[in-house]
Amino acid sequence: MTTSQTVPTVPRLDAFDRKTIGLTADFIEAAFDDATILAGILYGSLLVLLPEDDPAFVDESIARGIEAVRQGRDVVFRHLVPASDSANPS
């Protein structure tokens, strides 16, 4: 006799999660080009990426980062500039 098994629920990604994943991918790509952007990010810390072009996302990210600090996590906040700005500094 076999027992039935339940398939785990696949987590749903909301807009915040999707934006975070995109920013993380951009940050990793930038780190391949210039590893110095990793300076000051301690192993095991929570990295909170703050884009210039989305104030509402930044507000939510900061709130989540502060909550992590209150829970005892090491948190690093990092501002990001759009790729086009970093490629052509003014």
Side-chain angles (χ1 to χ4, degrees):
M1 173 183 226
T2 59
T3 56
S4 64
Q5 295 182 355
T6 306
V7 176
T9 305
V10 176
R12 302 280 177 172
L13 296 178
D14 61 16
F16 183 88
D17 295 332
R18 289 182 189 284
K19 176 111 182 177
T20 301
I21 291 168
L23 290 171
T24 302
D26 292 345
F27 187 76
I28 291 169
E29 187 175 321
F32 285 132
D33 293 336
D34 180 9
T36 63
I37 68 170
L38 302 173
I41 301 173
L42 301 175
Y43 178 80
S45 63
L46 174 66
L47 178 60
V48 178
L49 301 173
L50 306 172
E52 288 186 343
D53 61 349
D54 192 342
F57 179 84
V58 168
D59 290 345
E60 185 172 354
S61 296
I62 290 171
R64 290 182 183 206
I66 290 170
E67 182 58 33
V69 168
R70 289 184 176 137
Q71 294 173 6
R73 298 280 314 268
D74 290 326
V75 178
V76 176
F77 294 91
R78 190 60 56 94
H79 292 276
L80 299 177
V81 294
S84 60
D85 289 351
S86 60
N88 301 312
S90 51

